[in-house]
Amino acid sequence: MYPLAEGLFAPLNQWYIAAWSKEVTRTPMERWILDEPVAFYRQENGAPVAVEGRCPHRSFPLGKSRVVGDNIQCGYHGITFRPDGSCAEIPTQTVIPNVCKIKSYPVSEQWNWIWIWPGDPALADTALIPDHFEMGLTDPSFRAAGDAYFHVPGRYMLMHDNLLDLTHLGYLHKDSFGADGGGVDQVPEHSEGPNWIESKFTQKDSECPPFFSHMLNYQGRINRTFGLRLFMPCLHYGADTSYRVGPDGENGEMIGSLRIYHAVTPATRTTAHYFFAAGHSWASDDPASAEKLVENIKPALEEDMSATRYIETMVEHYNGRPGELLLRADHVCARGRRFFERTIRAEQQGAKLQLAEAG
């Protein structure tokens, strides 16, 4: 499915960010994940639960039902399911058919996020979730905050394309931070590992953009490095670091480092969930400084949403396969797409082998 090859949608055996912690309460919440309805709620001890969001009786949405103790009860006929998906009660009969059950998803609550594993539960290893401390989310030397959420009016890979190609900064975001020198007309440096891919930009001896000058309380020339690393399959982590220009033109004293976090999770085949957080390294007496930073960046995020909506409309007009011209600066974006394709195909091949062995 564009911009991936035909028949490829999204990898299953991966951890995705599904919600902010504060969104999941004792009242069920419905959220579509990888084209499937999921009901989220908390048990009496506060532990998060994610189960299939469709009652197998008449397809009533469990995300619009109620929680009874640690179980979720369908709001249509009262059929009640445990957190593991097994049926606890059918009010009109004592015999519970074996087929009366729903899927239960592995979940993990880390920092302010609820992570979900949509694939084979036996493969759900929380060690695969990116290290939150290393990214500055739980490192006390950084202030990190965020509760920004957007329902993206376009397929999830359009957002990954957007984040893998930062050459749009000075144009799409011209009315926000791009107009302040935040753009870049460079072919990005590229690196990748087993589960990540990264783009990086370097600006030497350039004027400190007003957007950053205000935050850093600094005027003058800087060396700046910035970029984003995608940890498969959903989290883009970025560091935007400014340095004084040293006598030899190289990096001198660090002025400050901005951390940004973009999470993209497929909702349906043509919509997605987008979560945004930010943090910083510089000293501040304002405990709400990270929250203010997120608010200042939100106008740019709205510009990303608009672009995604426009492109999705165009893609649908061309029956999901528009013609496409790739540029030199698209090499990180193109490699990111191939990363997803390889991951999905490997899963599909594994599923075929399992079926063959079972047969």
Side-chain angles (χ1 to χ4, degrees), residues 26-275:
R26 291 283 290 163
T27 300
M29 178 188 75
E30 180 182 73
R31 181 153 285 169
W32 286 70
I33 305 291
L34 274 66
D35 216 24
E36 297 290 342
V38 180
F40 295 87
Y41 68 95
R42 290 188 185 273
Q43 299 180 65
E44 291 181 320
N45 65 2
V49 175
V51 294
E52 183 179 346
R54 183 188 72 88
C55 180
H57 175 225
R58 293 279 180 81
S59 294
F60 190 83
L62 294 177
K64 302 187 183 301
S65 297
R66 64 181 65 89
V67 171
V68 179
D70 284 344
N71 302 329
I72 189 165
Q73 183 182 81
C74 179
Y76 200 9
H77 296 97
I79 301 174
T80 304
F81 300 92
R82 300 182 183 93
D84 66 0
S86 62
C87 182
E89 180 184 13
I90 300 177
T92 57
Q93 63 188 63
T94 57
V95 176
I96 298 176
N98 290 333
V99 294
C100 188
K101 58 186 176 182
I102 57 176
K103 184 176 180 178
S104 177
Y105 297 91
V107 292
S108 179
E109 186 167 16
Q110 299 190 27
W111 188 57
N112 296 328
W113 282 322
I114 304 291
W115 294 78
I116 186 171
W117 182 274
D120 183 351
L123 302 178
D125 181 359
T126 56
L128 298 174
I129 295 174
D131 190 311
H132 289 31
F133 183 87
E134 288 184 2
M135 293 188 295
L137 285 167
T138 57
D139 183 344
S141 64
F142 286 85
R143 292 185 182 274
D147 60 1
Y149 168 78
F150 299 85
H151 186 69
V152 182
R155 59 198 68 194
Y156 81 99
M157 278 303 301
L158 297 182
M159 284 299 299
H160 284 307
D161 279 358
N162 174 277
L163 295 165
L164 288 165
D165 175 19
L166 297 181
T167 61
H168 73 272
L169 292 179
Y171 304 95
L172 179 63
H173 301 306
K174 192 173 183 62
D175 294 331
S176 52
F177 58 75
D180 295 334
V184 56
D185 292 329
Q186 299 176 14
V187 174
E189 302 170 44
H190 155 261
S191 57
E192 62 184 79
N195 69 331
W196 58 269
I197 183 168
E198 180 178 70
S199 63
K200 183 179 178 181
F201 299 86
T202 301
Q203 293 178 334
K204 293 283 191 177
D205 195 15
S206 60
E207 192 68 31
C208 185
F211 182 85
F212 295 100
S213 180
H214 174 73
M215 291 188 298
L216 300 172
N217 192 27
Y218 177 83
Q219 305 288 332
R221 311 291 291 183
I222 61 169
N223 286 347
R224 178 184 172 206
T225 60
F226 63 98
L228 286 174
R229 173 175 290 195
L230 166 62
F231 290 101
M232 285 289 288
C234 74
L235 182 59
H236 294 257
Y237 156 62
D240 194 327
T241 306
S242 299
Y243 304 88
R244 296 181 187 275
V245 181
D248 57 356
E250 297 303 311
N251 295 343
E253 176 191 4
M254 187 182 79
I255 304 168
S257 182
L258 170 69
R259 303 293 178 97
I260 51 176
Y261 313 89
H262 307 264
V264 181
T265 296
T268 66
R269 289 185 174 268
T270 56
T271 62
H273 307 294
Y274 177 40
F275 307 87

